[in-house]
DNA sequence: GTCTATAGGTAGATAGAC
DNA sequence: GTCTATCTACCTATAGAC
């Protein structure tokens, strides 16, 4: 029996063990990096949270930085999902409402990842690969064209699409990333579904009234 | 000659030396905490950047945490300056434009402080004192009343003032705090005056068109 | 009030038995 | 592939001379 097929842990193959351990490590690392930052996170803590001894973590990843990079890589994957709503086939009113709702819902369901990403950017995006940044730029450029088409078709008032996107990103990320401030402002101790619903409404309606030609809303 | 009045360093009194050293330490600490976070910052680096030996830093502050708290305390002071523009005496159109411009200009001139503050909030605002948070809540409540008055007077469409403020905060902080993302979106490598000017225009005009009664803009 | 030297503790990374 | 023991480096904080 070849070493790579050796059975252990009740029938799991080495491949399954490897995949599961790596998954557990990344999951634990995401949570801990998000709460404490790169320097604040301890490998021992990540190991404990993933149910492995510290040395096993080093068996799969050769350094703390390698774990961090792997975690960041993972974050980008969810980035453009909400952006899919911004599409020429749709009416701007409908598209922008869906985008705002999807983005708010995504950050709400993935607070930990969202905060980690925010942290990485604030620190200068040092570990975001060239490829990842290029990818984000490409998607943004695509969506800028959609806005420009809508403006050309008279469906939206003239506006700088890039600054518009920045407005939408910042507003939709604020609630998850800066929850303590949002809570203070809203006089609550934890953001609930209603708060996110009000957020979606305020953002969508204000921006849409601001951008649609008179009388369209 | 009493010890507290002993002359050193070319005529400076001990009081002046103390004040200057503390100022230098806090200045260096702000910069380093902002770049590296609490855990990433090294006292030795703060000491070097403030031109003092490490032990002298400990002469003025008894721990790393005490330095951090002092720095955070300092940040809050600038918080409500821009908010002063939101005042019942003014027309909403004028007030909101001034607020957006002032807030953008403040974050641009104080990028380091702004990022440090953002970082502290993302990490759960653990070192923000009860007093500081209470202060921020009070100011916000005051300004919420102003918006409500404007709405009651028919000067603004009905809108949730708290979510409106969150929109304005997030949009105006994004450029300084998440500069790498803003740069990617705007196809530039460093934000310039024009970028901030366009940001101010996009935010103010979109929000104002969204909020003013029809035909007022 | 200043500064050198160092104690004391901790964390990243590895060796090597199983 | 797993895990204990340990190495090494570094960092916070302090003691104590000047």
């Amino acid at each position: 029996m070849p070493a790579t097929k050796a059975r252990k842990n009740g029938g799991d193959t080495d491949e399954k063990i490897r995949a599961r351990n790596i998954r557990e490590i990344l999951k634990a690392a995401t949570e801990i990096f998000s709460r404490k930052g790169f320097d604040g996170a301890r490998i021992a803590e990540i190991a404990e949270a993933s149910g492995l001894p510290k040395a096993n973590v080093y068996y799969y990843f050769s350094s703390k930085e390698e774990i961090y990079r792997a975690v960041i890589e993972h974050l980008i994957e969810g980035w453009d999902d909400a952006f899919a709503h911004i599409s020429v086939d749709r009416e701007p009113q409908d598209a922008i409402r869906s985008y705002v709702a999807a983005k708010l819902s995504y950050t709400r369901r993935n607070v930990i990842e969202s905060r980690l990403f925010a942290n990485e950017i604030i620190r200068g995006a040092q570990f975001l690969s060239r490829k990842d940044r290029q990818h984000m730029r490409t998607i943004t450029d695509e969506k800028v064209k959609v806005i420009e088409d809508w403006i050309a078709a008279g469906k939206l008032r003239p506006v700088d699409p890039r600054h518009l996107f920045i407005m939408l990103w910042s507003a939709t990320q604020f609630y998850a990333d800066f929850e303590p401030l949002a809570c203070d402002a809203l006089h609550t101790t934890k953001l609930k579904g209603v708060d996110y619903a009000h957020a979606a409404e305020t953002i969508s309606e204000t921006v849409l009234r601001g951008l649609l030609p008179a009388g369209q809303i």
Side-chain angles (χ1 to χ4, degrees), chain A:
Chain A
M1 189 189 281
T4 52
K5 288 279 181 175
R7 293 304 194 272
K8 284 188 182 179
N9 298 53
D12 286 355
T13 62
D14 285 359
E15 265 314 306
K16 275 187 184 166
I17 292 173
R18 162 169 281 268
R20 190 190 56 222
N21 284 346
I22 289 181
R23 197 172 358 98
E24 288 300 319
I25 292 168
L26 290 180
K27 193 177 134 199
T30 306
E31 210 269 322
I32 291 165
F33 280 133
S34 173
R35 251 187 17 242
K36 314 206 171 175
F38 181 80
D39 291 288
R42 305 294 160 211
I43 300 280
E45 205 182 344
I46 293 175
E48 198 184 1
S50 40
L52 291 170
K54 196 169 59 161
N56 284 31
V57 172
Y58 276 102
Y59 174 73
Y60 293 106
F61 296 92
S62 66
S63 71
K64 188 175 175 178
E65 191 177 314
E66 199 179 306
I67 305 177
Y68 188 74
R69 279 185 198 280
V71 166
I72 294 289
E73 194 86 1
H74 214 238
L75 295 185
I76 304 296
E77 294 171 18
W79 202 79
D80 29 65
D81 289 357
F83 242 167
H85 292 281
I86 305 294
S87 145
V88 247
D89 314 331
R90 303 177 69 173
E91 286 305 300
Q93 189 161 341
D94 176 42
I96 289 175
R97 272 202 196 98
S98 304
Y99 172 76
V100 169
K103 188 86 193 309
L104 276 171
S105 149
Y106 178 82
T107 53
R108 192 188 177 198
R109 281 177 292 114
N110 301 274
V111 204
I112 289 167
E113 290 83 356
S114 183
R115 280 180 200 158
L116 180 51
F117 184 73
N119 225 310
E120 168 62 13
I121 305 294
I122 291 182
R123 296 287 181 73
Q126 293 175 3
F127 292 95
L128 220 56
S129 70
R130 217 167 262 236
K131 201 192 78 213
D132 287 336
R133 293 184 72 165
Q134 184 53 53
H135 172 73
M136 289 163 66
R137 270 200 299 269
T138 307
I139 306 275
T140 306
D141 288 350
E142 242 175 80
K143 301 309 176 184
V144 163
K145 288 225 176 57
V146 175
I147 302 284
E148 285 169 349
D149 282 355
W150 282 336
I151 294 172
K155 292 180 172 181
L156 285 185
R157 290 173 187 276
V159 66
D160 186 319
R162 299 176 187 280
H163 287 283
L164 171 64
F165 283 138
I166 289 177
M167 259 185 87
L168 295 176
W169 292 342
S170 60
T172 51
Q173 286 191 187
F174 192 94
Y175 295 85
D177 296 351
F178 302 103
E179 185 165 10
L181 276 195
C183 284
D184 280 359
L186 299 170
H187 280 287
T188 181
T189 49
K190 175 123 181 56
L191 297 179
K192 312 269 182 180
V194 246
D195 299 313
Y196 275 91
H198 282 158
E201 202 197 312
T202 306
I203 300 167
S204 302
E205 299 313 302
T206 306
V207 168
L208 284 174
R209 281 189 200 278
L211 292 183
L212 292 175
Q216 286 231 14
I217 190 170

